[in-house]
Amino acid sequence: MDTSDRLGKRVAALVGVLAVAAALAAGHVVAGFVGPNASPFLAVGNTAIDLTPSWLKNFAVRTFGTYDKVVLLGGMGLTIVVFAVVAGLLSRRTPLPGLVLASVLGLLGVAAVLNRPDLGALAVVAPLASLVVGVVAFRFLHNSARARGSSDESRRTFLKVSGGVAVGAGVLGGFGQFLSGRVDVEGSRAAVGRLTPKVAAPAIPRGAEFPGNPTFITQNRDFYRVDTALTVPRLRAEDWHLRIHGLVDTELNLDYGDIRGRPLVERTITMTCVSNEVGGPYISTSNFIGIPLRDLLMEAGVQPSADQLFSSSIDGWTAGTPVADLMDQRRGALLAIGMNGEPLPLEHGFPARMVVPGLYGYVSATKWVVDMELTRFGEKPFYWEERGWGTRGPIKTQSRIDVPRGFASVPAGPVTIAGIAWAQTVGIARVEVRIDGGAWQEADLGVEVNDQTWRQWQTTFQLTAGSHRAEVRATDRRGMAQTEMRVPPIPDGATGWHSSLFTVE
Ligand SMILES: Nc1nc2c(c(=O)[nH]1)N[C@H]1C(S)=C(S)[C@@H](COP(=O)(O)O)O[C@H]1N2
Ligand SMILES: [Mo]
């Protein structure tokens, strides 16, 4: 009969899904040996991140925040399952369509791995393993499923075979995961121990904080995180090297001991992300510990023709920073190895990163930094510049209302409005608040810590019951008042006044 040599829909879909699972697991385990990011799934995900247009990336960051990567991985997983089911369903009569689709998926993995800037040519064995295993597993499962129609015996055989493939894929995948975590970077970080700077940052004065606001120093675990890494690079301190080269008199090659062995300095710095919307959360302050980048550049001898420091991370992300800003002693840019007394957390760049006061992170704050090349602007475009963001990224003067947060309810009587304002390297001169479009009222400013950090402010209004809208604007020491004009983060940072809508009871 004609129907007897067609696979049932469920069996056909199962064949597709199991073959793809086996393929991914095989690639994952091989990647465990040649480098975690060679795993085809991660390589495709990382490529997707790099190819995603800026507007979509912004949307993802805005909508899903720090979970954007979980959403991406989940979405990819779902897409692959759908793909596998379709491949299975198309192959009810002959395995050919499924074999073709399995190969296409495998080749996608190969292409993604070959395109990763952080992977060598050897890494291609991981997606190749996926390709081969995917095709073989599909063929094998399909045969077994076809034979299954003939007897109860063969039915059981297929159940065993498919169960075996499922368990095998799970075990292999798990083993691959174990291998990827084998680099004991947590141990390496623990071995570094607490970092004591030779020159400690001055203590934060009492009057720098107002109640209800974020703490002046952000705890490491609360520090905002923005990067393109699907999996956090696992680089041990003992494996870390930094090369400073390009337009220099003497090339420098440093290891972790070279940095740790120098007198460490500590500086209180507020970092900000260019993709922070008005009122957004991507701003935090830390006591960064490291060595002045200026000292390293002086040692290397930067040639006069160089105006860009092109820095690269171990995972191939890049930033271009003005040499003039790095040489500016007052600004005090760091090659940082610590935050708040601890070695950098893995997500914040362990073993070493750059921190440059006054510049958005995308042009300056390279985490897991391993290479610095002195170049000329325009000759070597960096990661976000290539994607349409501004070549220079000075932080714009901004302010944010933290109290009361939007849609909060507060008791009637005197109502305190409070928040933060920032104008790194320039300093905040004045913060003004108004309610419901009324007259601007000058806020009290917290004690200034230095001009590279945010400044807290607060002020009080007598408000009647009902809903009210507070707006804030800051003026920096250059006399520049924040413009009301709203512009989006791309290409060089959002502007506009933050407002908070709240209810007085
Ligand atoms: N290697 C690497 N470094 C990076 C990035 C990245 O994607 N990869 N993002 C930059 C951006 S856009 C910002 S705002 C800061 C954020 O640093 P944080 O995650 O420690 O807050 O890191 C910068 N350094
Ligand atoms: Mo950023």
Side-chain angles (χ1 to χ4, degrees):
M1 244 175 30
D2 179 47
T3 47
S4 69
D5 53 79
R6 276 179 71 185
L7 296 181
K9 282 186 188 154
R10 269 193 249 165
V11 170
L14 184 66
V15 166
V17 170
L18 285 179
V20 168
L24 287 176
H28 204 57
V29 84
V30 173
F33 291 100
V34 299
N37 280 340
S39 178
F41 191 63
L42 294 179
V44 169
N46 277 316
T47 306
I49 289 180
D50 290 354
L51 293 180
T52 305
S54 294
W55 62 265
L56 186 57
K57 211 172 306 200
N58 273 341
F59 166 80
V61 171
R62 213 166 46 235
T63 316
F64 307 117
T66 319
Y67 296 105
D68 56 340
K69 283 154 197 138
V70 180
V71 172
L72 175 76
L73 286 178
M76 270 173 53
L78 209 65
T79 309
I80 288 177
V81 170
V82 169
F83 192 90
V85 167
V86 168
L89 289 178
L90 288 177
S91 311
R92 290 175 67 193
R93 207 178 290 276
T94 109
L96 194 68
L99 291 176
V100 170
L101 287 180
S103 310
V104 167
L105 209 56
L107 289 174
L108 196 69
V110 168
V113 166
L114 286 178
N115 269 310
R116 296 307 306 152
D118 54 327
L119 295 173
L122 176 71
V124 82
V125 294
L128 281 178
S130 282
L131 203 164
V132 172
V133 168
V135 167
V136 169
F138 192 84
R139 186 78 236 215
F140 176 69
L141 285 162
H142 199 271
N143 277 346
S144 166
R146 299 261 328 237
R148 127 190 203 286
S150 48
S151 67
D152 276 359
E153 173 69 28
S154 55
R155 219 171 259 273
R156 274 194 296 276
T157 310
F158 174 69
L159 270 182
K160 274 188 213 153
V161 164
S162 48
V165 170
V167 170
V171 169
L172 267 190
F175 185 52
Q177 198 61 23
F178 165 76
L179 286 178
S180 311
R182 173 186 50 150
V183 180
D184 186 14
V185 64
E186 285 88 1
S188 167
R189 181 170 180 269
V192 170
R194 273 199 80 78
L195 295 170
T196 318
K198 181 139 191 284
V199 187
I204 304 302
R206 288 174 113 269
E209 280 178 0
F210 289 129
N213 269 351
T215 53
F216 195 92
I217 299 287
T218 315
Q219 302 232 350
N220 286 357
R221 64 164 183 280
D222 298 331
F223 203 96
Y224 84 90
R225 176 186 169 197
V226 172
D227 56 61
T228 60
L230 253 189
T231 50
V232 175
R234 301 177 65 82
L235 180 57
R236 300 188 311 167
E238 45 278 48
D239 300 328
W240 178 83
H241 291 274
L242 175 65
R243 175 167 176 239
I244 303 180
H245 61 115
L247 300 170
V248 293
D249 298 335
T250 327
E251 182 173 321
L252 294 186
N253 281 287
L254 303 156
D255 63 22
Y256 197 77
D258 294 331
I259 306 298
R260 249 222 100 164
R262 293 176 185 232
L264 297 174
V265 299
E266 183 179 42
R267 291 177 180 157
T268 312
I269 298 167
T270 298
M271 278 185 51
T272 317
C273 181
V274 68
S275 50
N276 201 33
E277 302 275 350
V278 170
Y282 300 131
I283 175 162
S284 303
T285 302
S286 188
N287 280 320
F288 287 99
I289 299 171
I291 60 172
L293 261 171
R294 180 176 194 273
D295 292 357
L296 289 180
L297 295 181
M298 299 277 274
E299 260 171 68
V302 177
Q303 292 172 6
S305 58
D307 63 358
Q308 168 179 251
L309 180 84
F310 187 88
S311 56
S312 311
S313 67
I314 185 92
D315 65 343
W317 186 86
T318 56
T321 314
V323 168
D325 291 342
L326 298 170
M327 296 304 277
D328 179 359
Q329 200 149 17
R330 274 207 59 240
R331 194 181 287 252
L334 292 179
L335 174 67
I337 60 170
M339 278 167 88
N340 297 329
E342 286 177 25
L344 293 174
L346 305 192
E347 317 81 69
H348 296 293
F350 182 80
R353 73 170 312 166
M354 290 171 51
V355 179
V356 187
L359 300 182
Y360 288 123
Y362 82 106
V363 294
S364 68
T366 309
K367 305 192 268 192
W368 316 290
V369 64
V370 291
D371 191 280
M372 296 180 182
E373 183 181 353
L374 276 302
T375 58
R376 298 195 52 76
F377 272 108
E379 279 172 13
K380 227 175 152 157
F382 54 90
Y383 188 93
W384 285 112
E385 183 184 16
E386 277 184 315
R387 288 161 178 77
W389 292 73
T391 304
R392 307 296 168 114
I395 296 174
K396 295 180 180 175
T397 299
Q398 275 287 331
S399 52
R400 182 180 83 186
I401 300 170
D402 286 84
V403 186
R405 263 315 205 181
F407 306 109
S409 284
V410 295
V415 175
T416 298
I417 317 285
I420 51 172
W422 59 95
Q424 288 94 319
T425 73
V426 181
I428 289 292
R430 186 166 62 249
V431 170
E432 295 156 295
V433 181
R434 69 176 184 185
I435 303 287
D436 304 327
W440 290 103
Q441 173 171 312
E442 201 166 329
D444 296 328
L445 294 180
V447 174
E448 181 167 56
V449 170
N450 62 46
D451 64 14
Q452 293 152 0
T453 53
W454 54 21
R455 196 147 176 203
Q456 303 206 347
W457 55 264
Q458 72 171 18
T459 185
T460 302
F461 289 84
Q462 286 292 334
L463 297 177
T464 52
S467 79
H468 296 282
R469 189 159 77 111
E471 287 170 293
V472 64
R473 71 170 183 202
T475 304
D476 64 29
R477 289 231 175 82
R478 280 170 308 205
M480 294 251 295
Q482 243 182 278
T483 166
E484 180 178 11
M485 195 176 68
R486 283 257 175 175
V487 303
I490 191 164
D492 58 8
T495 66
W497 298 335
H498 186 215
S499 64
S500 177
L501 204 62
F502 59 94
T503 311
V504 173
E505 315 228 277

